[in-house]
Amino acid sequence: MLLADERLAVVEFAQKMVRDRLVVGTSGNISLRRGDLIAVTPSGTDYDEMTAEDVVVVGMDGSIVDGSLKPTTELPFHLACHTRHDATAVVHTHSTAATALSLLRDDVPFVHYQIAMFGGSVAVAPYATFGTDALVENVSAAMADRTGCILKHHGTLCIGDDLGKAYDRARQLEWLCDVWMRASAVGVPALLDKEEIEIVVDRFGSYGQRQEISQR
């Protein structure tokens, strides 16, 4: 089976999306690339029952290389993320708070410095019908120099160099939207300024366990 490990990882994270309530039913989708091949969730398949064999492998042009099911109808914007935005992993959710925020705003407000993990301001891509070229172009524009965006009336899209990072960004983006929704329900939320977010974006570059420790 081609991309056996990648297909298994797609299943694991798709099922995790359900458990974390980032999707309902068969909504949302995931892809993971290795070289010029992409493992992607199939269309209309219950994630709780999905197996690695159900995951479809496509080429960078979207042609099916391995698998008996049809790939997600959102394959076009997955391909755009892999070809235009150098993604290795893509996570698309239909999470509640982010979708609700998309009905009210064109971006995610600076309610918390965690927004810096996306490279700065997170845009809401204008609405277009799922699976269309128009949606691909709207998403690609919103993702310019960013690792995540929100799709108006739709959900979120996050990328990374592995599924763990892409998925964490999807969870963090939902959390940011939830914070704003809760605060705005009772008043006018205070926001951080752009200059502070730029400082944190720079600090995030050296955050965590990334620095190499020299051997003694």
Side-chain angles (χ1 to χ4, degrees):
M1 184 172 64
L2 283 175
L3 301 189
D5 291 342
E6 288 76 16
R7 287 163 110 164
L8 181 59
V10 166
V11 171
E12 291 174 348
F13 277 91
Q15 293 175 346
K16 186 174 175 61
M17 281 201 305
V18 176
R19 293 195 302 271
D20 290 342
R21 298 184 179 182
L22 295 178
V23 297
V24 175
T26 64
S27 63
N29 29 75
I30 288 175
S31 66
L32 179 60
R33 178 173 58 86
R34 285 296 176 265
D36 293 331
L37 296 178
I38 302 168
V40 62
T41 47
S43 176
T45 301
D46 189 328
Y47 294 144
D48 285 332
E49 300 178 359
M50 187 170 64
T51 66
E53 289 77 10
D54 294 327
V55 175
V56 188
V57 177
V58 301
M60 297 293 278
D61 62 354
S63 59
I64 297 177
V65 176
D66 191 27
S68 59
L69 301 178
K70 294 180 180 179
T72 172
T73 55
E74 301 289 19
L75 180 61
F77 69 52
H78 281 262
L79 295 175
C81 288
H82 290 292
T83 59
R84 301 182 191 181
H85 301 285
D86 198 31
T88 299
V90 180
V91 173
H92 169 49
T93 80
H94 285 188
S95 53
T96 304
T99 304
L101 180 142
S102 79
L103 312 182
L104 303 169
R105 295 187 56 94
D106 295 325
D107 62 1
V108 180
F110 293 157
V111 292
H112 193 280
Y113 66 77
Q114 196 68 34
I115 201 168
M117 74 184 301
F118 300 95
S121 178
V122 175
V124 174
Y127 178 79
T129 305
F130 69 90
T132 62
D133 290 340
L135 181 58
V136 171
E137 296 308 316
N138 291 349
V139 165
S140 189
M143 290 289 290
D145 300 319
R146 294 294 183 267
T147 55
C149 74
I150 296 176
L151 289 61
K152 197 174 188 70
H153 297 279
H154 193 153
T156 71
L157 184 67
C158 293
I159 64 175
D161 55 17
D162 60 50
L163 270 177
K165 291 177 183 177
Y167 190 80
D168 184 51
R169 286 170 179 146
R171 290 196 306 169
Q172 294 282 359
L173 186 52
E174 173 67 2
W175 179 80
L176 286 164
C177 294
D178 187 49
V179 168
W180 183 80
M181 293 292 293
R182 289 170 184 250
S184 61
V186 295
V188 179
L191 303 179
L192 296 169
D193 58 37
K194 181 179 178 181
E195 291 72 21
E196 175 60 17
I197 298 302
E198 290 174 349
I199 291 171
V200 180
V201 167
D202 184 61
R203 290 178 68 89
F204 265 33
S206 59
Y207 178 77
Q209 304 297 319
R210 298 179 182 177
Q211 295 182 354
E212 182 177 345
I213 300 175
S214 59
Q215 294 183 352
R216 295 181 181 178

